[in-house]
């Protein structure tokens, strides 16, 4: 089973390349400049050369605020890229797993979102990801669209690493407390993808379509920061002041959904994939990051998109 991972150097791609795949899987990781998903010719050539049995698309334009001023780049990566991939997979009869986002929703639902809820993106990033989903569905039925939320990990740029950096630079930090969701560890998302791959390796007859996967439980960005700083204080004695603010007090070019909570019962019932509690997964990543920061004084770079 040849598994082609696109975006292998990114936050999720890194975890996919280090995940526990089925024994028969042979991983092939591609990133720029090896493949440009916005170029149909590049995509077709890569799939022809690698002859995969499964393609996992972990590429995306994720700079949420910058997308408002760069819509062409966002749509090229998030709509056109998945469209090219789905078309190439359809020609070769290759299943496709495509990762999407909570930003396809407007966040106004009072309960967790399930897969059949109507979408309503608030900005360019969400609209580009929604267009990518539509392109995949239109081009190739044998797909899994996996929506997730608030991804972070020990590799790449993300909110958790930004909070640790700011904790070393500031005595007081203000964090938004009126956006609700669950931080999802990239390693957990990668494990969910490998579980789907294992099912595919066992049988080609699976329920294709859209699934939600995010950590269990719910919190806010302020709640995540509070958990991070509690762990930081226990490990180093350092704990900056933390202030809760509303989204209106932290304006940016892009609007964020106030509710990003997911109902993940479908993926559990279909594939037996459990959703770990967000605190447990965050603690595992913090265990790694706090040890790494103790041995490497250079601060992580700030996250561009969440």
């Amino acid at each position: 089973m040849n598994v082609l991972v696109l975006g292998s150097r990114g936050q999720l791609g890194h975890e996919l390349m280090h995940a526990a795949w089925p024994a028969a899987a042979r991983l092939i990781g591609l990133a720029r400049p090896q493949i440009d998903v916005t170029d149909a010719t590049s995509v077709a050539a890569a799939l022809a050369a690698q002859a995969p049995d499964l393609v996992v698309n972990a590429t995306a334009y994720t700079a949420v605020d910058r997308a408002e001023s760069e819509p062409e780049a966002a749509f090229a990566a998030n709509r056109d890229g998945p469209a090219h991939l789905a078309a190439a997979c359809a020609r070769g009869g290759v299943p496709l797993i495509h990762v999407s986002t909570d930003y396809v929703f407007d966040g106004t639902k009072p309960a967790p979102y399930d897969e059949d809820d109507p979408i309503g993106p608030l900005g360019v990033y969400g609209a580009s990801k929604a267009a990518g989903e539509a392109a995949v569905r239109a081009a190739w039925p044998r797909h899994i669209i996996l929506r997730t939320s608030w991804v972070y990990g020990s590799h790449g740029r993300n909110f958790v690493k930004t909070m640790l950096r700011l904790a070393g630079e500031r005595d007081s930090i203000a964090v938004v407390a009126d956006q609700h969701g669950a931080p999802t560890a990239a390693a957990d998302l990668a494990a969910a993808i490998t579980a789907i791959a294992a099912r595919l390796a066992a049988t080609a007859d699976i329920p294709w379509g859209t699934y939600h996967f995010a950590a269990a439980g719910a919190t806010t960005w302020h709640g995540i920061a509070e958990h991070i700083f509690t762990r930081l204080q226990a490990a180093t004695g350092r704990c900056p002041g933390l202030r809760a603010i509303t989204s209106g007090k932290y304006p940016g070019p892009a609007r964020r959904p106030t509710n990003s909570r997911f109902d993940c019962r479908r993926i559990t019932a279909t594939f037996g994939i459990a959703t770990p509690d967000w605190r447990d997964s965050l603690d595992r990543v913090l265990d790694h990051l706090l040890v790494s920061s103790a041995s490497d004084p250079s601060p992580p770079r700030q996250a561009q998109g969440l």
Side-chain angles (χ1 to χ4, degrees), residues 75-260:
F75 275 90
N78 295 341
R79 177 197 59 198
D80 301 343
H84 299 327
L85 286 169
C89 286
R91 290 192 297 269
V94 181
L96 171 65
I97 298 177
H98 172 66
V99 180
S100 193
T101 176
D102 55 301
Y103 278 68
V104 301
F105 296 111
D106 63 11
T108 60
K109 184 180 178 180
Y113 281 95
D114 63 45
E115 292 85 350
D116 298 323
D117 282 323
I119 62 173
L122 298 175
V124 170
Y125 169 70
S128 68
K129 292 295 287 184
E133 290 188 7
V136 169
R137 294 188 188 101
W140 181 222
R142 294 181 66 197
H143 69 261
I144 297 289
I145 294 172
L146 197 58
R147 292 184 183 137
T148 191
S149 65
W150 299 11
V151 178
Y152 69 94
S154 58
H155 179 82
R157 304 178 182 183
N158 55 68
F159 178 82
V160 175
K161 295 174 75 173
T162 297
M163 288 298 102
L164 289 174
R165 177 180 65 82
L166 293 178
E169 299 174 355
R170 303 180 185 178
D171 293 326
S172 179
I173 300 171
V175 180
V176 170
D178 59 357
Q179 296 172 19
H180 301 267
T184 304
D188 291 339
L189 181 57
I193 291 171
T194 62
I196 295 172
R199 177 76 172 269
L200 278 170
T203 175
D205 183 21
I206 70 168
W208 305 102
T210 302
Y211 293 87
H212 288 175
F213 179 84
T219 185
T220 65
W221 295 112
H222 179 272
I224 301 169
E226 188 173 42
H227 190 92
I228 293 168
F229 294 160
T230 298
R231 286 293 314 277
L232 180 65
Q233 184 175 33
T236 68
R238 170 70 177 168
C239 185
L242 181 61
R243 294 180 289 117
I245 60 172
T246 64
S247 299
K249 296 291 186 181
Y250 192 75
R255 294 171 60 199
R256 267 76 169 169
T258 56
N259 176 26
S260 290

